[in-house]
Amino acid sequence: MESCPAEKGRMVKNRGFLGLGDVKNSYLALFLFGITFCSVVEYIVGGILEKLFHSKWWDYSYMRFNIKGRVCLRNAVLFGFGAVLVFRLVQPAVEDAIVRISVNVRMAITMIFSIAFVIDTAASVRRAWERRKNHEGSELILIFKAHR
């Protein structure tokens, strides 16, 4: 069955970010998705940062129900609530505001934020790399420690 480009565009829009079409319609599914997705990303990024910069950027080892100090149950639940808040309230409001802005202004704003993001990322990596080079020994540097 053939479909017109406009129909395909609606299909893509309805599926949304990461194919969350059906997930976004259920508070429970969105909550569980937020817990799972964000915790997996946090765990993987924590491991990469430890290896790359020889430092722990956060440590949840003093929190209950943690995995290697990289993720903990409290933050996972907060990520779940955050996913519900962002996808059900914030994202629709932001999307409604953005469609009111002209395409040229949106492009300019996107370019400004993209340049700022690249500059900030480069500066952060440079500082982290310098910190790694100045640190002696085999023990990891702890950047942030969670408090109960």
Side-chain angles (χ1 to χ4, degrees), residues 96-133:
D96 288 344
I98 287 174
V99 297
R100 294 186 179 116
I101 300 171
S102 74
V103 174
N104 290 336
V105 173
R106 282 191 297 209
M107 290 298 292
I109 291 170
T110 301
M111 290 301 297
I112 290 168
F113 276 104
S114 297
I115 291 168
F117 176 78
V118 168
I119 291 169
D120 180 64
T121 300
S124 297
V125 168
R126 194 183 104 252
R127 281 193 307 269
W129 199 256
E130 286 297 318
R131 182 177 287 167
R132 179 180 190 234
K133 284 180 10 182

Side-chain angles (χ1 to χ4, degrees), residues 25-137:
N25 296 328
S26 165
Y27 286 107
L28 179 60
L30 190 52
F31 178 78
L32 294 174
F33 172 81
I35 287 174
T36 306
F37 180 79
C38 294
S39 295
V40 167
V41 169
E42 185 178 34
Y43 186 87
I44 291 170
V45 168
I48 290 169
L49 291 173
E50 285 177 27
K51 298 292 182 196
L52 188 61
F53 296 110
H54 198 65
S55 58
K56 284 185 79 113
W57 290 64
W58 58 86
D59 183 12
Y60 303 132
S61 60
Y62 295 100
M63 305 292 290
R64 289 184 180 162
F65 310 110
N66 74 81
I67 302 172
K68 293 186 178 181
R70 292 184 192 159
V71 294
C72 66
L73 181 61
R74 182 196 71 179
N75 287 13
V77 170
L78 291 173
F79 283 136
F81 284 120
V84 171
L85 180 72
V86 167
F87 282 103
R88 295 296 293 229
L89 298 174
V90 176
Q91 188 270 335
V94 169
E95 187 175 344
D96 288 344
I98 287 174
V99 297
R100 294 186 179 116
I101 300 171
S102 74
V103 174
N104 290 336
V105 173
R106 282 191 297 209
M107 290 298 292
I109 291 170
T110 301
M111 290 301 297
I112 290 168
F113 276 104
S114 297
I115 291 168
F117 176 78
V118 168
I119 291 169
D120 180 64
T121 300
S124 297
V125 168
R126 194 183 104 252
R127 281 193 307 269
W129 199 256
E130 286 297 318
R131 182 177 287 167
R132 179 180 190 234
K133 284 180 10 182
N134 294 334
H135 178 70
E136 294 180 15

